Amino acid sequence: MYADEKTIREILTSTGDTWAVVGLSNNTSRAAYGVAGVLQRFGKRIVPVHPKAETVHGEQGYASLADIPFPVDVVDVFVNSEQAGAVADDAVSIGAKAVWFQLGVVDEQAYDRTRDAGLAMVMDRCPAIEIPRLG
């Protein structure tokens, strides 16, 4: 229910190519690092969002979504489920078009709020797994 194929395809192919990756740092052992690299290889501009505001994969990082000085299309969320709802609310506030909660990140209330605000949303899936399947 929270990850229908139509919405996955829409977000990956026609929602836009600027992806804020919340929780992305230079820690190469974290999933966010590898997924961001895959997104880049598939033509997405990644924007690291992490309290450290590190440059990752050659892209300037920001401490929060609100600090990003340009439009963001998709907010990809690599924080735990307890924090994810606040990130989804921030995505709505900055005018993002879609929110993507990574594998294991689930907040049904945040899903409902985000969809009610008019954004596309996927939960508990990984774009690095889904994007190669598009063919």
Side-chain angles (χ1 to χ4, degrees):
M1 174 179 165
Y2 298 113
D4 66 273
E5 296 304 318
K6 179 179 179 286
T7 303
I8 289 169
R9 179 173 290 278
E10 178 184 298
I11 292 172
L12 290 173
T13 62
S14 59
T15 298
D17 290 334
T18 302
W19 285 55
V21 184
V22 179
L24 175 58
S25 70
N26 277 309
N27 183 341
T28 58
S29 68
R30 303 289 300 197
Y33 188 88
V35 170
V38 171
L39 289 169
Q40 276 189 321
R41 286 195 296 281
F42 279 89
K44 307 300 181 189
R45 176 187 184 188
I46 57 121
V47 183
V49 179
H50 189 278
K52 293 180 182 175
E54 298 174 308
T55 297
V56 184
H57 293 302
E59 292 288 346
Q60 169 65 49
Y62 297 89
S64 72
L65 288 173
D67 291 338
I68 301 172
F70 48 83
V72 168
D73 299 308
V74 181
V75 175
D76 189 8
V77 182
F78 278 94
V79 299
N80 65 41
S81 297
E82 291 74 37
Q83 296 175 304
V87 175
D89 295 339
D90 290 346
V92 171
S93 296
I94 67 163
K97 299 173 190 167
V99 174
W100 191 299
F101 281 9
Q102 282 297 142
L103 291 171
V105 181
V106 175
D107 181 332
E108 294 174 6
Q109 290 78 27
Y111 180 88
D112 292 339
R113 286 194 311 273
T114 303
R115 298 287 295 161
D116 289 346
L119 283 69
M121 186 162 177
V122 169
M123 274 197 315
D124 196 25
R125 294 296 273 274
C126 179
I129 293 170
E130 301 299 334
I131 204 166
R133 292 181 181 168
L134 295 176

